[in-house]
Amino acid sequence: ALLASGAQWGGETAAHVLDKHLRPAGTIVYAREVPQRLVLENRLRKAQGIGDVEIREKFWSFEQANQLIVPTPLIYADLMASADPRQIEQAQRLREADELLRRIDRD
């Protein structure tokens, strides 16, 4: 349902796809519009406050064919923005392991 709608995982869930060290407590989905099939299949409903799933607008214009997760710099940003110590630790693990993030550090 995620790929069919052009949506992608971000945040903790994307980090978990890359490295099983962090078990996600919540997830971020990036999509151009609300992925109705994903909502229906998972019986998602609007939270009254903070929910477990956050749907954000997919703001970049380049396409990644059949990619389940967002680009690693965005995963890193999502983790760091959380201010959750376990997510920040995972962000550091990602930064050390990911070639693109290491290349950004060098430039």
Side-chain angles (χ1 to χ4, degrees):
L2 192 73
L3 286 175
S5 66
Q8 294 175 287
W9 297 122
E12 292 178 90
T13 304
H16 181 74
V17 169
L18 295 173
D19 176 1
K20 305 298 187 226
H21 180 74
L22 177 66
R23 189 166 188 196
T27 194
I28 299 170
V29 174
Y30 284 90
R32 301 244 182 265
E33 56 189 44
V34 175
Q36 294 301 321
R37 184 171 157 200
L38 183 69
V39 170
L40 292 172
E41 286 180 6
N42 294 284
R43 297 183 179 150
L44 301 178
R45 62 185 191 283
K46 191 167 184 148
Q48 303 298 321
I50 299 173
D52 296 336
V53 178
E54 183 178 347
I55 299 174
R56 295 183 180 171
E57 183 178 353
K58 191 174 180 180
F59 58 87
W60 56 96
S61 59
F62 61 90
E63 290 301 319
Q64 300 171 274
N66 296 321
Q67 281 290 344
L68 190 59
I69 61 173
V70 300
T72 53
L74 184 53
I75 298 169
Y76 177 81
D78 285 343
L79 295 170
M80 291 299 290
S82 74
D84 177 341
R86 56 188 203 90
Q87 289 188 46
I88 291 171
E89 176 189 351
Q90 184 64 27
Q92 294 304 326
R93 289 173 60 94
L94 177 61
R95 188 176 187 139
E96 293 167 5
D98 184 70
E99 177 58 33
L100 178 58
L101 290 171
R102 287 196 316 265
R103 192 169 358 124
I104 290 169
D105 280 342
R106 288 191 302 262
D107 293 342

